[in-house]
């Protein structure tokens, strides 16, 4: 049985599962070919996905989706909400002349089942699940029989409430909670690193209380509603706002932590899903909380994992199984659309040569194999640089079109991570917070001394591990700057023509694609 699954709406994706093998065949996100961030599924993505099938799949699956607003009218499949079997649609559909099984379940279920299926725990081991995102802020329990139990809603729309604070302070934003920038959450995380939560005033606490008013529908998040606040258009670089951001981040997390401490007392593992699962500070606080035996966050914790989640839900329905064998490199393969590349010299890839070039200060694009799933560049669609100077950080941020002091994440040999950061063991998906302990790593050291590390093993990504090993032999440090290879506000670059255009336009010194090293 092969299952073809679609996630409609923003963060569109299409995924395929081989159910007898419990294997994720692929997960293609619509944005992952230099298309606009958060794109819906387009014909190209569908055609690419079809190449995996020698014949039509056995099951079509569709993640539910709804309109925003008070009624949340279903516009795709089973709609957005519901956790029991009544929230699913089961039937058959005619598809290119063949009658196929059809399964659709809610957006809510897709988030739950994606993180459950990808987690390392055996099926039948009970788990808690936290879904926190634009609409949902809820805890669940999955029992040994794969039944989902709702443990309680902590806060409606935590993702939207969190992002809105940045919008409120930003004079350039004039919209509503419906038009918040998708990057506002990460920008607020960065702002909070500059602030001191202990330095807030009464105005700040009053605003926090208003924004976290659980009885209010999230439609109240409109800048005009808060025009009288001293934080309205105060400026996102204002120290007063940065202190508020630090306190607000603490307040949102504490709301959920306090609920969990009181109501989730069985010490089960915690699985985290939803866009707030990209908040690496909160993820580490969950890990360090002591409330759970373990904590797992998938790399596609936001809506990019929903096609996987609905495919798993369909597999669970038809086979009784809900676990996957998967790799983070299950995205689109690179398209080497050969072009004339003026001003470029090409050599066969030699990792020691690349390591030496990085040590000499070159900033290099790095393309290997298939795209990563989820929003983080994890060594297959990356920009790499040496980690030693603030000048390198500033140059990488200029290349990316970001603020000069924006954090640049490190990638590190897993066996060396405790030499450079206050961390031991794996952090393969760049979803946790660490403190930098090595003073040499100035390019990846954020203003508060923090970093968001990706650790790499030979089994996880052999080429990147080998490059880090060569760089360590050259520099003494198995760490590099690693940020995503993409045009601004677009998904990862996935073909040679775009890679060459990007490298020329932003001033990369060269790029690696496949088995070749190209230098300008």
């Amino acid at each position: 049985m092969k299952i073809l699954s679609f996630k409609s709406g923003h963060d569109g994706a299409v995924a395929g599962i081989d159910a007898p093998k419990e294997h994720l065949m692929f997960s293609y996100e619509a944005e992952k070919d230099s298309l606009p961030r958060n794109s819906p599924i387009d014909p190209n993505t569908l055609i690419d996905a079809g190449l995996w099938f020698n014949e039509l799949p056995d099951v079509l699956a569709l993640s539910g989706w709804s309109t925003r607003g008070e009624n949340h009218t279903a516009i795709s499949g089973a709609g957005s909400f519901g956790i029991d079997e009544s929230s699913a649609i089961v039937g058959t559909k005619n598809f290119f002349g063949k009658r196929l099984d059809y399964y659709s379940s809610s957006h809510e279920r897709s988030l739950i089942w994606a993180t459950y299926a990808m987690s390392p725990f055996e099926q039948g081991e009970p788990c808690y699940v936290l879904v926190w995102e634009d609409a949902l802020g809820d805890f669940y329990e999955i029992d040994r029989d794969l039944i989902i139990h709702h443990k309680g809603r902590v806060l409606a729309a935590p993702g939207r409430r969190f992002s809105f604070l940045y919008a409120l302070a930003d004079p350039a934003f004039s919209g509503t909670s419906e038009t918040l920038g998708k990057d506002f959450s990460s920008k607020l995380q960065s702002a909070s690193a500059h602030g001191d939560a202990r330095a807030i005033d009464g105005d700040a606490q009053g605003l926090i209380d208003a924004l976290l008013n659980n009885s209010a529908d999230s439609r109240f998040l409109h800048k005009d509603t808060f025009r009288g606040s001293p934080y309205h258009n105060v400026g996102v670089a204002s120290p007063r706002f940065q202190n508020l951001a630090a306190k607000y981040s603490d307040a949102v997390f504490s709301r959920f932590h306090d609920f969990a401490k009181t109501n989730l007392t069985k010490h089960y593992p915690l699985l985290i899903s939803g866009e707030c699962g990209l908040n690496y500070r909160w993820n580490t606080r969950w890990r360090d909380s002591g409330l759970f035996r373990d904590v797992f966050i998938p790399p596609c914790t936001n809506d990019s994992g929903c096609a996987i989640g609905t495919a798993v839900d369909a597999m669970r329905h038809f086979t009784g199984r809900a676990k996957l064998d998967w790799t983070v490199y299950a995205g689109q393969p690179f398209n080497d659309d050969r072009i004339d590349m003026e001003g470029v010299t090409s050599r066969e890839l030699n990792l020691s040569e690349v390591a030496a070039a990085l040590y000499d200060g070159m900033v290099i694009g790095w393309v290997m194999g298939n795209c990563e799933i989820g929003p983080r560049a994890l060594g297959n669609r990356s920009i790499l640089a040496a980690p030693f100077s603030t000048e390198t950080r500033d140059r990488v941020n200029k290349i990316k079109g970001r603020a000069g002091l924006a954090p640049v994440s490190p990638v590190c040999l897993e066996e060396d991570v405790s030499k450079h950061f206050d961390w031991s063991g794996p952090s393969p998906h760049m979803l946790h917070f660490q403190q930098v302990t090595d003073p040499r790593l100035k390019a990846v050291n954020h203003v508060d001394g923090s970093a968001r590390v990706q650790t790499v093993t030979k089994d996880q990504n052999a080429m990147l591990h080998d490059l880090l090993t060569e760089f360590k032999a050259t520099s003494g440090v198995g760490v590099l700057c690693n940020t995503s290879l993409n045009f601004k506000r677009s998904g990862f670059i996935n073909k040679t023509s775009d890679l060459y255009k990007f490298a020329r336009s932003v001033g990369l010194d060269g790029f690696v694609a496949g088995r070749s090293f190209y230098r300008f």
Side-chain angles (χ1 to χ4, degrees):
M1 175 186 286
K2 289 187 171 62
I3 302 169
L4 179 62
S5 178
F6 300 89
K7 193 276 179 186
S8 60
H10 68 73
D11 293 295
V14 55
I17 285 180
D18 185 327
K21 297 179 179 178
E22 299 179 13
H23 174 66
L24 175 65
M25 299 157 55
F26 65 90
S27 180
Y28 291 173
E29 296 156 38
E31 69 175 41
K32 295 285 179 69
D33 194 8
S34 299
L35 294 172
R37 294 294 305 273
N38 316 119
S39 292
I41 284 292
D42 69 349
N44 291 322
T45 314
L46 176 58
I47 291 170
D48 288 343
L51 298 176
W52 279 87
F53 296 91
N54 295 322
E55 56 186 9
L56 290 177
D58 303 290
V59 180
L60 288 178
L62 180 63
S63 295
W65 197 242
S66 300
T67 59
R68 288 185 172 183
E70 184 177 1
N71 296 322
H72 291 285
T73 303
I75 57 176
S76 178
S80 288
F81 305 111
I83 61 170
D84 59 23
E85 296 300 323
S86 68
S87 65
I89 300 171
V90 184
T92 59
K93 283 192 179 291
N94 228 9
F95 191 69
F96 290 98
K98 181 181 177 181
R99 201 72 180 168
L100 304 180
D101 285 312
Y102 171 78
Y103 186 88
S104 179
S105 59
S106 67
H107 172 70
E108 186 173 4
R109 286 177 67 98
S110 72
L111 291 165
I112 294 169
W113 287 117
T115 190
Y116 181 84
M118 298 174 79
S119 71
F121 314 114
E122 293 292 330
Q123 179 165 320
E125 179 175 357
C127 297
Y128 293 124
V129 183
L130 167 60
V131 176
W132 50 352
E133 46 119 55
D134 260 4
L136 296 161
D138 299 62
F139 279 105
Y140 311 82
E141 181 183 322
I142 300 178
D143 68 20
R144 65 183 69 254
D145 297 317
L146 303 186
I147 297 172
I148 304 170
H149 305 272
H150 187 237
K151 303 299 291 185
R153 170 158 294 179
V154 181
L155 182 68
R160 198 173 303 170
R161 292 173 193 259
F162 187 70
S163 296
F164 178 75
L165 183 63
Y166 189 90
L168 178 64
D170 185 1
F173 180 80
S174 59
T176 70
S177 65
E178 305 295 324
T179 58
L180 295 174
K182 286 290 183 182
D183 58 350
F184 282 7
S185 178
S186 60
K187 288 181 175 180
L188 189 62
Q189 288 181 59
S190 182
S192 69
H194 293 257
D196 181 354
R198 299 165 299 179
I200 66 164
D201 53 28
D203 290 328
Q205 188 59 56
L207 178 59
I208 290 171
D209 293 342
L211 292 178
L212 299 186
N213 179 359
N214 212 9
S215 65
D217 188 285
S218 63
R219 290 174 297 172
F220 83 102
L221 298 173
H222 193 292
K223 287 190 77 165
D224 285 347
T225 305
F226 297 91
R227 186 170 293 277
S229 170
Y231 290 93
H232 183 274
N233 289 343
V234 69
V236 294
S238 159
R240 191 179 185 201
F241 168 71
Q242 291 166 349
N243 293 338
L244 169 62
K247 181 64 176 180
Y248 189 52
S249 178
D250 288 347
V252 174
F253 179 83
S254 294
R255 182 73 65 95
F256 284 84
H257 175 273
D258 292 349
F259 179 94
K261 185 175 182 179
T262 301
N263 297 283
L264 310 182
T265 59
K266 300 175 184 177
H267 209 59
Y268 294 157
L270 176 67
L271 316 179
I272 297 176
S273 191
E275 65 184 29
C276 292
L278 297 173
N279 189 311
Y280 58 101
R281 296 175 187 276
W282 291 344
N283 290 342
T284 300
R285 292 183 70 174
W286 284 123
R287 176 183 181 265
D288 295 342
S289 69
L291 299 178
F292 309 101
R293 184 174 65 77
D294 205 344
V295 175
F296 172 77
I297 312 103
C300 49
T301 184
N302 62 350
D303 283 6
S304 63
C306 288
I308 297 173
T310 301
V312 170
D313 202 1
M315 181 172 75
R316 177 206 56 79
H317 174 81
F318 289 110
T319 72
R321 295 294 301 170
K323 285 291 178 177
L324 286 180
D325 167 54
W326 61 278
T327 171
V328 72
Y329 305 110
Q332 290 93 320
F334 187 69
N335 176 12
D336 187 10
D337 59 340
R338 291 287 180 177
I339 60 168
D340 292 329
M341 292 189 284
E342 183 180 353
V344 175
T345 60
S346 171
R347 298 167 62 93
E348 184 177 353
L349 179 61
N350 181 305
L351 293 180
S352 63
E353 181 183 355
V354 177
L358 289 164
Y359 185 62
D360 288 341
M362 289 182 66
V363 179
I364 294 172
W366 175 267
V367 172
M368 289 288 163
N370 289 27
C371 284
E372 302 87 332
I373 58 176
R376 302 283 189 238
L378 300 172
N380 275 17
R381 298 293 184 275
S382 292
I383 296 172
L384 303 178
F388 301 120
S389 73
T390 56
E391 289 79 10
T392 298
R393 177 203 63 201
D394 295 345
R395 184 181 172 204
V396 170
N397 280 330
K398 183 177 180 181
I399 286 169
K400 293 287 293 179
R402 300 188 298 218
L405 292 178
V408 175
S409 295
V411 59
C412 178
L413 293 168
E414 184 178 305
E415 59 265 33
D416 287 353
V417 65
S418 60
K419 297 178 181 178
H420 310 293
F421 308 93
D422 69 337
W423 188 270
S424 61
S427 179
H429 303 135
M430 204 183 284
L431 289 170
H432 288 284
F433 165 94
Q434 293 87 9
Q435 289 293 131
V436 180
T437 58
D438 186 338
R440 293 173 292 179
L441 304 183
K442 295 181 177 64
V444 299
N445 195 336
H446 197 18
V447 65
D448 62 348
S450 69
R452 188 182 67 204
V453 180
Q454 177 199 359
T455 59
V456 178
T457 65
K458 186 86 169 177
D459 289 341
Q460 176 193 343
N461 189 321
M463 287 296 288
L464 185 58
H465 186 273
D466 288 350
L467 176 63
L468 287 164
T469 300
E470 290 288 348
F471 188 76
K472 180 181 178 181
T474 301
S475 70
V477 173
V479 180
L480 288 168
C481 297
N482 173 24
T483 192
S484 56
L485 182 65
N486 61 295
F487 293 96
K488 192 171 184 178
R489 299 188 180 91
S490 297
F492 295 162
I493 289 170
N494 204 45
K495 52 179 174 281
T496 307
S497 55
D498 282 345
L499 180 54
Y500 173 69
K501 179 181 177 182
F502 176 82
R504 287 291 298 266
S505 64
V506 302
L508 291 183
D509 298 306
F511 54 88
V512 171
R515 302 302 303 182
S516 298
F517 181 22
Y518 301 88
R519 301 177 70 154
F520 290 100

